[in-house]
Amino acid sequence: MRVYVPLTLSGLAEAYKTGELGSGPFVAYAVTPALREWYLSDDIEELEYSALSRAALASLRLIALDPAAPRRRVVVAVDVPDGAAVADPDRGLDPASLGEVRVGGAVALAKAAAVHVDSGEAEADVSAAADALGAADRGDDDAQFVVDGAEDHELLWFATQEIPNLVGLGD
């Protein structure tokens, strides 16, 4: 099963140093039955993109909690064994948790298929979105517009071999 793990660049650097994503349990996003029902599509690429987008929003939330984190969203796509990621049945159709799964234990970074990261051009919009997130959560339409502005930036795809360069540890 492919899951999308939201991180920050600092979190990605830590995962690179330890060789593990999370110590478990940790939150990730995947194509869950609830996400399929909500999205109303059988196109797996569209569904996976939706799960990736949900993880990007979760990454934005992590950025908002860490003023020192670089203002670039990070999502790691990783394959885990079936059953390693479980959706909470009590929150199945809760719009805030669509696609959310819990991964029970640490996952080796070596299992990652790819890393998705904002370009440097997105930093100003991601920073503004992180600052506006609280107000958007409280229903402020103007703040939601700012948060949506971060989503206008597509995350770039990187091979796992590029992680050292992404986190500033490369040559």
Side-chain angles (χ1 to χ4, degrees):
M1 167 184 233
R2 168 114 347 137
V3 299
Y4 298 90
V5 181
L7 293 174
T8 62
L9 278 172
S10 306
L12 182 61
E14 183 64 23
Y16 181 72
K17 286 181 206 170
T18 65
E20 293 183 336
L21 289 167
S23 57
F26 62 90
V27 172
Y29 293 81
V31 177
T32 62
L35 185 68
R36 281 181 191 273
E37 187 175 328
W38 173 78
Y39 198 77
L40 298 174
S41 174
D42 289 330
D43 185 327
I44 192 64
E45 287 183 18
E46 287 181 18
L47 289 164
E48 286 189 356
Y49 183 78
S50 180
L52 171 67
S53 297
R54 306 288 296 179
L57 178 58
S59 174
L60 181 65
R61 291 187 180 286
L62 294 173
I63 291 167
L65 292 172
D66 183 359
R71 297 338 222 186
R72 293 169 70 185
R73 297 168 299 162
V74 177
V75 177
V76 178
V78 62
D79 295 317
V80 298
D82 288 342
V86 180
D88 182 346
D90 294 331
R91 293 188 65 198
L93 293 177
D94 176 356
S97 69
L98 287 171
E100 187 178 291
V101 295
R102 299 248 179 241
V103 178
V107 175
L109 186 59
K111 299 277 187 192
V115 179
H116 304 270
V117 181
D118 275 313
S119 72
E121 295 172 0
E123 286 183 10
D125 287 338
V126 170
S127 182
D131 292 343
L133 200 52
D137 286 345
R138 291 186 298 277
D140 183 319
D141 290 337
D142 291 335
Q144 186 61 53
F145 182 77
V146 173
V147 171
D148 292 344
E151 294 176 13
D152 290 341
H153 296 276
E154 293 289 328
L155 296 178
L156 303 176
W157 181 95
F158 294 91
T160 57
Q161 298 88 332
E162 297 176 273
I163 293 173
N165 292 330
L166 289 170
V167 298
L169 300 173
D171 296 333

